[in-house]
Amino acid sequence: ILNVEQSPQSLHVQEGDSTNFTCSFPSSNFYALHWYRWETAKSPEALFVMTLNGDEKKKGRISATLNTKEGYSYLYIKGSQPEDSATYLCAFPVYNQGGKLIFGQGTELSVKP
Amino acid sequence: GAGVSQSPRYKVTKRGQDVALRCDPISGHVSLYWYRQALGQGPEFLTYFNYEAQQDKSGLPNDRFSAERPEGSISTLTIQRTEQRDSAMYRCASSLVAGGSTDTQYFGPGTRLTVL
């Protein structure tokens, strides 16, 4: 059974703090890792699709790194703002099963002004 | 609209009734996925289509659940004889490429199903 783990489960930071959280996934049969941002009552919004070991992607103040050999990815937010408050989900495509994604439980980020 | 749409957005039904949930993917997207999301959890895979062909239905919980995409565009997820445990957010996603693991999946707003 594939397991995608995210930690911490929730995080509370002050505006301006930088923060990071982790997604752990199986290191064998790696295709890609997806990161999504999800605000309650909205659709999950795609952030990154990461494919190469050592990959680093950036979107504004959000960046992500990937280590496929040890099976983890970090998501960083620099200078958190209240509008960054959301749940951040990672998802792992199942080997040889098309685009079927296994999602982690998410990290819920709350940024206080 | 340019995004994935789902209808209805909210559905309240009585136990034992059948429900049909609709997904309209982004125009031209080949793959369509159905997920179920419980409160506080990430989405859980149910089934997916490439064009009109159902490729994988391993996530459907039991035979009360079925899905179709007869013309390779709009899809319907049907739950027969609903039970209270079926209450959840049902999300649809589409992607441009056929079953591509590296292709971004674009999610719809979901249908919140409540079974009384």
Side-chain angles (χ1 to χ4, degrees):
Chain A
I1 297 176
L2 282 180
N3 220 18
V4 179
E5 300 280 348
Q6 291 189 247
S7 63
Q9 196 169 352
S10 64
L11 200 51
H12 299 266
V13 301
Q14 289 294 131
E15 182 175 355
D17 288 351
S18 292
T19 186
N20 67 86
F21 24 93
T22 308
C23 172
S24 300
F25 52 85
S27 55
S28 59
N29 297 319
F30 178 84
Y31 277 136
L33 187 80
H34 298 242
W35 278 101
Y36 285 87
R37 178 177 181 278
W38 173 46
E39 288 181 67
T40 305
K42 293 187 179 179
S43 313
E45 171 200 350
L47 288 174
F48 307 113
V49 180
M50 308 187 75
T51 55
L52 298 174
N53 186 43
D55 215 1
E56 181 170 345
K57 297 212 171 181
K58 193 173 179 181
K59 187 176 184 178
R61 292 178 292 98
I62 304 176
S63 60
T65 60
L66 179 69
N67 184 322
T68 60
K69 293 183 180 179
E70 295 183 33
Y72 65 83
S73 175
Y74 292 138
L75 191 80
Y76 299 91
I77 302 179
K78 185 178 177 183
S80 303
Q81 299 296 308
E83 58 265 30
D84 295 329
S85 297
T87 297
Y88 291 83
L89 294 161
C90 66
F92 183 78
V94 180
Y95 175 73
N96 215 24
Q97 291 189 34
K100 176 179 177 178
L101 293 177
I102 304 297
F103 279 83
Q105 288 189 313
T107 293
E108 186 179 359
L109 175 67
S110 174
V111 183
K112 292 186 178 178
Chain B
V4 178
S5 61
Q6 293 185 245
S7 60
R9 293 291 306 277
Y10 302 91
K11 178 70 178 178
V12 180
T13 191
K14 291 183 179 178
R15 185 166 52 95
Q17 298 293 305
D18 298 351
V19 295
L21 312 181
R22 174 182 162 131
C23 172
D24 199 344
I26 294 173
S27 178
H29 276 200
V30 169
S31 292
L32 185 148
Y33 303 83
W34 283 100
Y35 293 88
R36 179 167 70 174
Q37 190 171 17
L39 206 59
Q41 303 288 318
E44 178 189 21
F45 172 83
L46 295 176
T47 185
Y48 91 94
F49 296 81
N50 285 339
Y51 301 100
E52 72 282 358
Q54 191 169 22
Q55 299 294 316
D56 183 338
K57 54 182 181 179
S58 62
L60 295 177
N62 51 60
D63 60 9
R64 294 185 298 105
F65 287 73
S66 62
E68 63 174 10
R69 193 186 185 199
E71 296 178 5
S73 179
I74 293 167
S75 176
T76 303
L77 177 71
T78 301
I79 309 173
Q80 295 179 311
R81 305 181 303 281
T82 51
E83 301 177 5
Q84 286 183 328
R85 60 180 169 154
D86 300 333
S87 297
M89 175 72 83
Y90 289 84
R91 292 199 186 273
C92 170
S94 70
S95 67
L96 183 61
V97 175
S101 300
T102 60
D103 201 32
T104 298
Q105 293 183 23
Y106 296 89
F107 280 81
T111 295
R112 168 72 66 190
L113 175 65
T114 303
V115 182
L116 301 176

